Amino acid sequence: MSDQRVDRPGEGGVSDLGYARLDTDRATRTGDPEVVYGAGKTPAQVVEILHALHEAHPERAILATRLSDPVVESVMAEVPDAALDEVARAVTVGPLPQARGTVAVVSAGTSDAPVAAEAALTARVYGAGVKIVNDVGVAGLHRILAAREELLTANCLVVVAGMEGALPSVVGGLTGVPLVAVPTSVGYGASFGGIAALLGMLNSCAPGVTVVNIDNGFGAGVFAARVARAAR
Amino acid sequence: MSDQRVDRPGEGGVSDLGYARLDTDRATRTGDPEVVYGAGKTPAQVVEILHALHEAHPERAILATRLSDPVVESVMAEVPDAALDEVARAVTVGPLPQARGTVAVVSAGTSDAPVAAEAALTARVYGAGVKIVNDVGVAGLHRILAAREELLTANCLVVVAGMEGALPSVVGGLTGVPLVAVPTSVGYGASFGGIAALLGMLNSCAPGVTVVNIDNGFGAGVFAARVARAAR
Amino acid sequence: MSDQRVDRPGEGGVSDLGYARLDTDRATRTGDPEVVYGAGKTPAQVVEILHALHEAHPERAILATRLSDPVVESVMAEVPDAALDEVARAVTVGPLPQARGTVAVVSAGTSDAPVAAEAALTARVYGAGVKIVNDVGVAGLHRILAAREELLTANCLVVVAGMEGALPSVVGGLTGVPLVAVPTSVGYGASFGGIAALLGMLNSCAPGVTVVNIDNGFGAGVFAARVARAAR
Amino acid sequence: MSDQRVDRPGEGGVSDLGYARLDTDRATRTGDPEVVYGAGKTPAQVVEILHALHEAHPERAILATRLSDPVVESVMAEVPDAALDEVARAVTVGPLPQARGTVAVVSAGTSDAPVAAEAALTARVYGAGVKIVNDVGVAGLHRILAAREELLTANCLVVVAGMEGALPSVVGGLTGVPLVAVPTSVGYGASFGGIAALLGMLNSCAPGVTVVNIDNGFGAGVFAARVARAAR
Amino acid sequence: MSDQRVDRPGEGGVSDLGYARLDTDRATRTGDPEVVYGAGKTPAQVVEILHALHEAHPERAILATRLSDPVVESVMAEVPDAALDEVARAVTVGPLPQARGTVAVVSAGTSDAPVAAEAALTARVYGAGVKIVNDVGVAGLHRILAAREELLTANCLVVVAGMEGALPSVVGGLTGVPLVAVPTSVGYGASFGGIAALLGMLNSCAPGVTVVNIDNGFGAGVFAARVARAAR
Amino acid sequence: MSDQRVDRPGEGGVSDLGYARLDTDRATRTGDPEVVYGAGKTPAQVVEILHALHEAHPERAILATRLSDPVVESVMAEVPDAALDEVARAVTVGPLPQARGTVAVVSAGTSDAPVAAEAALTARVYGAGVKIVNDVGVAGLHRILAAREELLTANCLVVVAGMEGALPSVVGGLTGVPLVAVPTSVGYGASFGGIAALLGMLNSCAPGVTVVNIDNGFGAGVFAARVARAAR
Amino acid sequence: MSDQRVDRPGEGGVSDLGYARLDTDRATRTGDPEVVYGAGKTPAQVVEILHALHEAHPERAILATRLSDPVVESVMAEVPDAALDEVARAVTVGPLPQARGTVAVVSAGTSDAPVAAEAALTARVYGAGVKIVNDVGVAGLHRILAAREELLTANCLVVVAGMEGALPSVVGGLTGVPLVAVPTSVGYGASFGGIAALLGMLNSCAPGVTVVNIDNGFGAGVFAARVARAAR
Amino acid sequence: MSDQRVDRPGEGGVSDLGYARLDTDRATRTGDPEVVYGAGKTPAQVVEILHALHEAHPERAILATRLSDPVVESVMAEVPDAALDEVARAVTVGPLPQARGTVAVVSAGTSDAPVAAEAALTARVYGAGVKIVNDVGVAGLHRILAAREELLTANCLVVVAGMEGALPSVVGGLTGVPLVAVPTSVGYGASFGGIAALLGMLNSCAPGVTVVNIDNGFGAGVFAARVARAAR
């Protein structure tokens, strides 16, 4: 096919790798680090993108998420400064920013841990300090009540739950801290891959609960970090 | 249309009113009273059915549910022994059976009260004693915790909630009493007329929660009464 | 029905009006004002609740939302200090708190204005200052770009849109300010009462967008106020 | 990531295995045994949890469900007292409790057998006696009618069916015994992985039918055992 | 708007009334009578169409379905030979064809009667004899069993049911007669306006059950008549 | 509420009416006329907007769609040059542009006529000539075949159908003319307000069929006019 | 588990193979042959069932459907009289019944062929003669028109189509022969595994179209054979 | 099975390969080239079809889409003139037609590239010139604005996007060029395999946006080419 491809050359801050146009000035524009979404990318592509981003801004952190086993292997072998978070299936490259404020990440069951870990790592890379409180499902209230003080001292909460997604309602009734709920695809049958949890959270009777996409620990971490690092 | 209609006359225990075939021996077969589902019936039809059933078995209770305002008016005017439960929009005719065992009906918000009242009245007419605990949403845990002792002494729980439908999970984590959850159509937007609550309850992380149709206080009451009246 | 109703009398901070148990100490617990959700309540009920809450805490603001025409009429006639926001279909009673921080409420079309107004009023009653930017749909980018500076100086954004719900993605690409998206039920056909906008927002390509229920301006306002009033 | 993990050490009755916090006092609290949900857990994890639970309470039964082939192999090789139910894909460890009352588990087709077996084993481990009646679909009424006497003498029924899920309605019309319906994912096309059966059961015309999640034999077994063991 | 409308004048057998092009030769082509679908049409339109059709073919029957109260009134006042079926909300004009073969229409509950009546009247107008068996829900098997002989002697069955839609499976298990199932919108909550019944029927475990649209008594009647009148 | 509203005054080409910001330079930007979407607007609002737009550009056509009866009445009484299309429930003000190219609007049933009329009027106001071919459903192929020549000479086709939405596939198989399909909400039961037709059109086996929202005659008309007026 | 299994021995006509109870008198009851649904069964199970059924009634045909490759291999190797239909992935054992009447099976695209073949083979085994007309999609009307005469002489039509499922409407408009539509899961994206075709067929504008489950060629074949073999 | 198969031999322009009836005169009828949909076909089938079509019309282009790796391999090895588009997973055989008019294909993210490439190649084979503008998501408005001039000079736009599918609204607000939107299945969780993007596009606030099925780059390319090649 001989038709012309439109490639605007050399806009300031844009590197063109063919399969992706990297916007290396984005951090300046939004105050956030650069992120590589690993799903669907080959090991070679992820490694190349990490190298390009790291070279452009060696002083800043880069986050790569949703990495398959082969991608993790390649990255850990070929990118010198990469640090792996095994639970989150994510990698960081470059120095993490100073932590300002605190995000508390709360999760309901052990199966929710990967999404919670992605949220926690993301919040940290985006500049917030992080506390993790795992395995506090609503059918065991004593665990939630025991964690209450920790929740009250955070600047933003990320609450991760699958199945019926009830944890944000219970936590939201205990505190007035801004709360981001993350439904997970944990469950079976009528959980419909996380829809039940998503609907539960959207309909929370606790006021001031906001929600992100199913399994979107990354989005919740970004949001929570922005809130926490701006807090007094 | 001159084609023949098939109407089997005079089977034992069956009265034919044209628009409904009343199975007056049903109680003998299942141990339960007779019930009139009022939705979609005219005032005259409900009154006629109540009269027919009451005449056939004056010693037993009859329950009529889902009554519109005009039906309630006609029934209260024309059926001498009818007793009205205004919140449940239901009526009983004839003496209630002796109460055996106890059903506790718990509801999350004030808007869930009509469904809770239907469940409670139904359980009572089906032969169980009833306790009602209203307005104990999951965003106010202290209320639920305060009611715990009452819940533990019941033989069956009916837990009624709309919106995210999280109450059964929390209550189910506090007790080992058999628990029937009733989702209500209370909510808006992504509650989808009770679907969010229904899915939440079907996916409850508390083991041993069973569920009935949206707003089906009647079904929950029937079931709970059967459990309670058979309990030691 | 002679069964006992369970009514725990006189817990500290709880008034019992029969159809609702008012938790007058809630503000102390969460730092937020008291709110009356008007949908499904009679004019008399809303007026009575407002009086009870106002009497208990005359120095604090009360917010009543989702008021029908007859409720508005009764409240404005019978509650002396009530202030009406006609677009939001909501009323406040009592002095508003001092405004800390700023919430910017952005809406896509004129039909989204009621939800945007509910979000704005709620954020204000919950203690934040508020800016409103109406009618900046994504099909007219020049309007959005013109408002960019105002958005950058806010502490939290509430972005309200129906139909395809694309506005949060565009706004989220322009700023790093925490952003809460509110889908509205504006649209027809395959908008499915706001589902299209809800899904669009949950799948936003702009990182850090969180979402509330369809038409839930109130929830977005609560959340945004909590973020804004805690910001440096 | 150097952020602190919140691990409350040494609460009474809680063992911390890192990936799961075992609540070994749960039985005291609810009267039920301990259960391990095997889906998504590695063979090593399941074996370790079984050992820990068995050591803490050697006199009580433990149930492990939804076990993959490799998990079954590891458990049978490494856990001395484990007893396998091949159809249910589940294992018990420790002495079963004395059977009180009777649960009858009825299933519609041969493909529903695994779910029925899970329900039956669960009910037994939770302390009830169990009868199983397999392969009695609604298109063969003579089979159902032949089993009627057995159903009438049970204290609770569990009725398992896929496809259109009609069996609970037919069984529910034959008896007044409390009935828990379990939809299975058996079917194709418009069965939508069990949704058709789930909806059929939620809309049953037989009063007093309650429902659990698709394929949730475990939940039905828990509930039915609680009902049966408390029955006179 | 001055653009030309395309109206092909005077094709053989086509009358143009402006809002509808009547295909008066259709009967010749398909062997079926002419039908007027009344929903959304004004009384005047229905009356005019009936007159036009009747005039064109006075020797044939016409069927008008889904008639609102005002339409029924106008038709009965202005169309001399119109015969009303009140339950079916339908009218016939002209002599009915001779009945060949027999269609048995079976319905589950009294609320399903209008759809059953529409099916029965339609089958009759399309040339079949008709038997009606009402109120034989699956929760009362003795009624179904009592009607079995009548079902076996029909040439085609139409089985009408709402809620869980289980009746076709039970009837289909009793006979080998061709069976058309009609889901009705009878039910509430998770019946979703007839979807539960529709799915139940599509997934029937009885082989050889076919299904029509929700409440589509007309379509079932057409189909059943074609089968019955061609039967030996 | 004393917070500032953001109202950017006096941008070139923007008039601010409070409830809507009119972009009177839009025509210059896109080559299309101005349009008023009447749904949800009061008669007074529609009249005021029409006056403002007409005054700004008296030489151009304005289209107002989805007008309720009271709006139509007010507009026809108070806007001197308004021309009403009763079937489309729409009004034009100002001189229509010269017609370039031809759009053929084809509809399946008489109930689809309003949507077809909206598409036709819109295409005309947007600068194309229009042909209308009504009432050519797929169950009467001879009508479609008779219209084939007319379809082949158009520059763009708009095909409007409800129920199963099959007409675009059949028409698309007869011609290579660009074809926009419009699903309508005509139907009942499992038509789900137009979803069946929408899905049918999206899955058309005829290549090159594009689709707009349910009942969106306007959108189809805009698109078709742009195609037709640019055609050779 | 020591609980008793309920196995009613030796009812007349029932053989118990452990995993299935074969109802060998079924043919007598319904007039249909015996069928083995192969999905989910092991090769050994299918072979054993075929042997048992064949032995009980060597003079009758048996049909086994939905056979995987290994099952086909085992059956063809170990069941002497088995005849394979490769396209239908089905096998027959024993002599086919004499063909009475004719079923015409029409399919839209080559991908629909396996479902059409299953329908055709089933109809044949159930006692009807069969004609097959493949690859006549609605976007090529000349093919459908060419086959019209063949369709008119059949006693029942089975029309198989995926994607938009429009073929039954077109065929139904050409003939008055009873028509069973079979949606297939052929398609992608918004075909949703056959839902689009299913909805299209349920909403067909051609009267008298009935529908079976997605990909249910078997059910359509059973039904069509019953109609055809009873036809004059 | 001895029943007759209906195979109409030798219609002009139709070759019968057994599994597909090739309509080699189609180009004459619609003005479009021949296309092979590769999904579900074996390598041998695709090769044979390509040979047959190429032999019949060596002077025309053939397009084969949705090719798996083995099919691509076989085709490139066995079809001499085949040209591969790796990104689109498609092949062309024979000389491309002269390009008339211009289609601009715009895509939002790198994951949308395969669908965009399929659209672009298809448009080219159907006779239009093509421009491609990749990776211009709505969260980076500067990229879209930079491409505006190129978009304005095209005759038809194809806009490809997954996730929230907002790009068509933004592009549609910048130009008056006819715009076909293609939702892709890119995304996770509540993107539901492209449904979110599909709904977003159907509800676009930019007038004149039409939509094709999820991932249907082919359909969009066909349509756009027809528009572009007919443009002045």
PDB file of all heavy atoms in Angstrom, chain C residues 1 66 68 82 105 118 123 134 166 201 217 226:
ATOM      1  N   MET C   1     -50.889  -7.590  64.124  1.00  0.00           N
ATOM      2  CA  MET C   1     -49.732  -8.428  64.404  1.00  0.00           C
ATOM      3  C   MET C   1     -49.154  -8.043  65.753  1.00  0.00           C
ATOM      4  O   MET C   1     -48.723  -6.911  65.949  1.00  0.00           O
ATOM      5  CB  MET C   1     -48.673  -8.206  63.304  1.00  0.00           C
ATOM      6  CG  MET C   1     -47.843  -9.426  63.040  1.00  0.00           C
ATOM      7  SD  MET C   1     -46.792  -9.170  61.598  1.00  0.00           S
ATOM      8  CE  MET C   1     -45.462  -8.231  62.340  1.00  0.00           C
ATOM      9  N   ARG C  66     -32.991  16.123  46.026  1.00  0.00           N
ATOM     10  CA  ARG C  66     -34.002  15.376  45.252  1.00  0.00           C
ATOM     11  C   ARG C  66     -35.415  15.685  45.755  1.00  0.00           C
ATOM     12  O   ARG C  66     -36.189  14.777  46.082  1.00  0.00           O
ATOM     13  CB  ARG C  66     -33.733  13.866  45.353  1.00  0.00           C
ATOM     14  CG  ARG C  66     -32.309  13.504  44.960  1.00  0.00           C
ATOM     15  CD  ARG C  66     -32.286  12.727  43.692  1.00  0.00           C
ATOM     16  NE  ARG C  66     -30.901  12.644  43.209  1.00  0.00           N
ATOM     17  CZ  ARG C  66     -30.444  11.682  42.422  1.00  0.00           C
ATOM     18  NH1 ARG C  66     -31.286  10.741  42.035  1.00  0.00           N
ATOM     19  NH2 ARG C  66     -29.215  11.686  42.005  1.00  0.00           N
ATOM     20  N   SER C  68     -39.200  16.989  45.328  1.00  0.00           N
ATOM     21  CA  SER C  68     -40.263  17.177  44.348  1.00  0.00           C
ATOM     22  C   SER C  68     -40.868  18.579  44.536  1.00  0.00           C
ATOM     23  O   SER C  68     -40.618  19.250  45.533  1.00  0.00           O
ATOM     24  CB  SER C  68     -41.340  16.123  44.552  1.00  0.00           C
ATOM     25  OG  SER C  68     -41.921  16.298  45.835  1.00  0.00           O
ATOM     26  N   ALA C  82     -34.775  28.115  55.292  1.00  0.00           N
ATOM     27  CA  ALA C  82     -34.432  27.293  54.125  1.00  0.00           C
ATOM     28  C   ALA C  82     -34.054  28.164  52.931  1.00  0.00           C
ATOM     29  O   ALA C  82     -34.726  29.162  52.642  1.00  0.00           O
ATOM     30  CB  ALA C  82     -35.603  26.388  53.765  1.00  0.00           C
ATOM     31  N   VAL C 105     -16.778  22.568  39.150  1.00  0.00           N
ATOM     32  CA  VAL C 105     -17.784  21.663  38.585  1.00  0.00           C
ATOM     33  C   VAL C 105     -17.963  22.014  37.114  1.00  0.00           C
ATOM     34  O   VAL C 105     -18.381  23.131  36.789  1.00  0.00           O
ATOM     35  CB  VAL C 105     -19.121  21.769  39.343  1.00  0.00           C
ATOM     36  CG1 VAL C 105     -20.145  20.851  38.714  1.00  0.00           C
ATOM     37  CG2 VAL C 105     -18.921  21.442  40.816  1.00  0.00           C
ATOM     38  N   GLU C 118     -26.431  20.135  41.703  1.00  0.00           N
ATOM     39  CA  GLU C 118     -26.470  19.343  42.933  1.00  0.00           C
ATOM     40  C   GLU C 118     -25.056  19.084  43.460  1.00  0.00           C
ATOM     41  O   GLU C 118     -24.787  19.184  44.658  1.00  0.00           O
ATOM     42  CB  GLU C 118     -27.185  18.002  42.693  1.00  0.00           C
ATOM     43  CG  GLU C 118     -27.405  17.197  43.959  1.00  0.00           C
ATOM     44  CD  GLU C 118     -28.003  15.810  43.686  1.00  0.00           C
ATOM     45  OE1 GLU C 118     -29.239  15.711  43.601  1.00  0.00           O
ATOM     46  OE2 GLU C 118     -27.228  14.837  43.551  1.00  0.00           O
ATOM     47  N   ALA C 123     -20.965  20.271  47.434  1.00  0.00           N
ATOM     48  CA  ALA C 123     -19.573  20.567  47.775  1.00  0.00           C
ATOM     49  C   ALA C 123     -19.489  21.800  48.667  1.00  0.00           C
ATOM     50  O   ALA C 123     -18.715  21.841  49.632  1.00  0.00           O
ATOM     51  CB  ALA C 123     -18.761  20.775  46.493  1.00  0.00           C
ATOM     52  N   ASN C 134     -20.240  25.659  32.881  1.00  0.00           N
ATOM     53  CA  ASN C 134     -21.282  24.894  32.189  1.00  0.00           C
ATOM     54  C   ASN C 134     -21.074  24.840  30.687  1.00  0.00           C
ATOM     55  O   ASN C 134     -20.387  25.685  30.115  1.00  0.00           O
ATOM     56  CB  ASN C 134     -22.658  25.529  32.459  1.00  0.00           C
ATOM     57  CG  ASN C 134     -23.267  25.028  33.754  1.00  0.00           C
ATOM     58  OD1 ASN C 134     -22.973  23.933  34.208  1.00  0.00           O
ATOM     59  ND2 ASN C 134     -24.098  25.867  34.363  1.00  0.00           N
ATOM     60  N   ALA C 166     -17.736  11.647  27.361  1.00  0.00           N
ATOM     61  CA  ALA C 166     -16.331  11.768  26.983  1.00  0.00           C
ATOM     62  C   ALA C 166     -15.615  12.926  27.660  1.00  0.00           C
ATOM     63  O   ALA C 166     -14.385  12.981  27.655  1.00  0.00           O
ATOM     64  CB  ALA C 166     -16.229  11.928  25.459  1.00  0.00           C
ATOM     65  N   MET C 201     -16.956   6.611  31.203  1.00  0.00           N
ATOM     66  CA  MET C 201     -16.132   7.203  32.258  1.00  0.00           C
ATOM     67  C   MET C 201     -15.294   6.143  32.973  1.00  0.00           C
ATOM     68  O   MET C 201     -14.144   6.382  33.324  1.00  0.00           O
ATOM     69  CB  MET C 201     -17.027   7.936  33.242  1.00  0.00           C
ATOM     70  CG  MET C 201     -17.638   9.195  32.605  1.00  0.00           C
ATOM     71  SD  MET C 201     -18.957   9.888  33.635  1.00  0.00           S
ATOM     72  CE  MET C 201     -19.360  11.367  32.682  1.00  0.00           C
ATOM     73  N   GLY C 217     -24.868  13.615  41.591  1.00  0.00           N
ATOM     74  CA  GLY C 217     -24.149  14.844  41.872  1.00  0.00           C
ATOM     75  C   GLY C 217     -23.805  14.971  43.349  1.00  0.00           C
ATOM     76  O   GLY C 217     -22.750  15.485  43.710  1.00  0.00           O
ATOM     77  N   ARG C 226     -14.409  16.892  50.372  1.00  0.00           N
ATOM     78  CA  ARG C 226     -13.450  16.294  51.302  1.00  0.00           C
ATOM     79  C   ARG C 226     -12.018  16.467  50.788  1.00  0.00           C
ATOM     80  O   ARG C 226     -11.088  16.715  51.553  1.00  0.00           O
ATOM     81  CB  ARG C 226     -13.765  14.808  51.486  1.00  0.00           C
ATOM     82  CG  ARG C 226     -15.019  14.582  52.302  1.00  0.00           C
ATOM     83  CD  ARG C 226     -15.368  13.104  52.369  1.00  0.00           C
ATOM     84  NE  ARG C 226     -16.509  12.877  53.259  1.00  0.00           N
ATOM     85  CZ  ARG C 226     -17.090  11.703  53.438  1.00  0.00           C
ATOM     86  NH1 ARG C 226     -16.642  10.629  52.796  1.00  0.00           N
ATOM     87  NH2 ARG C 226     -18.105  11.577  54.265  1.00  0.00           N
TER      88      ARG C 226
END
